[in-house]
Amino acid sequence: MPIRYKCRHCETEIGQLPFDHIDDQFLQKHELTQEDQHIYIKNGAEGDYTVQCICEECQESLQKFPNYYALKKWIQ
C-alpha cells in the first residue's frame, strides 16, 4: 500500500511512496514523536497511510499572512 503525502490545509495530494508498511525506521526518518504520529499520520480503510504535511502554495500563503496560523482550517 502506498504512503500518501497530502496538504493538511488544501488537501492537495503532494505525492506518494510505495511501501508495504510503516515501521520504526520510516517514523525515525520523519523524526515524529508518538503524539505527532497520531496527528500527522492517518490510517486508511484499505491499509494505506496518509501523512499530513503542507504544500508549497499553502506555505507561501502562511508566510504572507501569519495570522492564518491561528486558524484550524483557513481554506474554505
Side-chain angles (χ1 to χ4, degrees):
M1 293 292 153
I3 297 173
R4 291 181 171 78
Y5 289 83
K6 192 173 187 179
C7 180
R8 65 179 187 236
H9 298 288
C10 67
E11 299 185 7
T12 299
E13 187 170 308
I14 298 168
Q16 57 181 299
L17 297 172
F19 274 89
D20 293 330
H21 65 282
I22 291 182
D23 57 10
D24 291 337
Q25 184 179 16
F26 173 82
L27 297 173
Q28 288 172 357
K29 285 181 184 176
H30 283 71
E31 298 179 4
L32 296 173
T33 65
Q34 285 188 348
E35 183 180 335
D36 288 342
Q37 291 172 27
H38 293 299
I39 295 170
Y40 297 111
I41 299 177
K42 306 296 180 192
N43 299 349
E46 298 178 13
D48 58 329
Y49 293 91
T50 301
V51 177
Q52 299 290 320
C53 49
I54 187 168
C55 69
E56 290 180 19
E57 290 83 11
C58 289
Q59 179 64 34
E60 289 174 9
S61 294
L62 286 169
Q63 288 175 337
K64 289 178 185 175
F65 305 100
N67 58 323
Y68 287 175
Y69 279 105
L71 304 173
K72 184 171 184 170
K73 183 92 172 162
W74 51 272
I75 295 180
Q76 302 297 322

